[in-house]
């Protein structure tokens, strides 16, 4: 994914209702119905194209395709939104001047807001060079080696790295749950095993 990003933090708070339950008197020992958990707030999410989310190959291809294009070409941000789970997150591992690393975490909306302007003046084409995939039941982890170019026909990429992508399947379709990336630098080169499909 494009490396422009902004800091973000996810904080978890105890629900007031849970705290109230701790202080409430014990309930009678009779069977009671258990309320179903609330469904994710997905009503506002755009519907995905069935072809984009039908398989791991399809959703990975869609992730790369939706962010790529020449300078000034509008991206289909609703298509990108449709690929992510409602609680989906993104992030970039970035080197600090002192040699330490920090995760620049963001939501898909943060990514869209930050990169819409950048893509008006900069061509950006990201393609997958190789992939290693692990799956178990409804979860998958894809280690996807990427190359980034400013023009589709450039011979040499200006950047390479790894997209670490967690996917989930709800019985109907695949979703991107987490996408974290790190680019190569002078001290961190892609090993040979990530330059071929595993």
């Amino acid at each position: 994914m494009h490396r422009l990003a902004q800091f973000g933090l996810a904080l978890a708070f105890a629900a007031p209702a849970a705290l109230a339950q701790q202080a409430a008197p014990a309930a009678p020992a009779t069977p009671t119905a258990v309320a179903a958990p609330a469904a994710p707030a997905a009503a506002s999410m755009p519907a995905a194209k069935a072809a984009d989310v039908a398989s791991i190959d399809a959703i990975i291809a869609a992730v790369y395709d939706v962010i790529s294009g020449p300078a000034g070409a509008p991206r289909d941000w609703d298509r990108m939104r449709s690929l992510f789970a409602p609680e989906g997150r993104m992030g970039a591992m970035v080197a600090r001047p002192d040699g330490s690393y920090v995760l620049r975490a963001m939501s898909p909306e943060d990514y869209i807001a930050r990169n819409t302007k950048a893509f008006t003046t900069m061509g950006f084409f990201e393609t997958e060079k190789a992939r290693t995939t692990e799956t178990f039941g409804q979860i998958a982890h894809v280690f996807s080696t990427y190359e980034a170019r400013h023009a589709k026909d450039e011979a040499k990429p200006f950047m390479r790295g790894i997209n670490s992508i967690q996917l989930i399947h709800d019985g109907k379709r695949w979703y991107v749950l987490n996408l974290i990336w790190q680019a190569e630098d002078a001290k961190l080169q892609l090993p040979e095993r990530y330059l071929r499909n595993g």
Side-chain angles (χ1 to χ4, degrees):
M1 307 302 288
H2 185 48
R3 308 306 142 203
L4 295 176
Q6 63 187 28
F7 283 101
L9 295 174
L11 301 177
F13 297 96
L19 295 175
Q21 284 180 346
Q22 292 175 359
T30 56
T32 57
V34 177
S44 61
M45 289 185 63
K49 297 177 183 176
D52 279 350
V53 296
S55 68
I56 292 173
D57 286 345
I59 197 167
I60 298 299
V63 166
Y64 280 105
D65 184 57
V66 76
I67 62 169
S68 298
R75 305 309 198 259
D76 185 349
W77 293 129
D78 274 349
R79 183 185 183 200
M80 179 172 167
R81 290 180 181 102
S82 77
L83 302 177
F84 281 80
E87 61 274 37
R89 298 295 295 165
M90 303 174 75
M93 291 302 300
V94 180
R96 289 173 164 162
D98 66 2
S100 65
Y101 287 83
V102 63
L103 174 67
R104 292 188 175 176
M106 68 197 86
S107 68
E109 288 302 324
D110 295 331
Y111 179 91
I112 291 167
R114 186 67 182 255
N115 290 294
T116 296
K117 184 176 180 182
F119 288 155
T120 63
T121 58
M122 179 187 71
F124 184 78
F125 292 85
E126 190 169 287
T127 56
E128 185 179 49
K129 180 173 179 60
R131 183 193 310 173
T132 300
T133 304
E134 298 288 346
T135 61
F136 180 75
Q138 306 308 111
I139 62 174
H141 179 222
V142 175
F143 229 47
S144 178
T145 303
Y146 68 81
E147 296 183 333
R149 294 171 170 81
H150 291 302
K152 196 171 187 177
D153 57 355
E154 277 181 345
K156 186 176 179 181
F158 69 87
M159 181 170 50
R160 304 189 309 174
I162 296 288
N163 285 319
S164 174
I165 308 168
Q166 283 185 310
L167 303 167
I168 56 172
H169 195 281
D170 66 355
K172 297 178 181 178
R173 55 157 288 184
W174 286 100
Y175 292 88
V176 177
L177 181 64
N178 291 302
L179 194 164
I180 299 173
W181 62 89
Q182 184 165 2
E184 272 187 322
D185 58 35
K187 296 179 181 178
L188 181 68
Q189 298 293 301
L190 284 168
E192 184 62 32
R193 70 183 183 276
Y194 295 139
L195 298 175
R196 60 181 184 270
N197 289 324

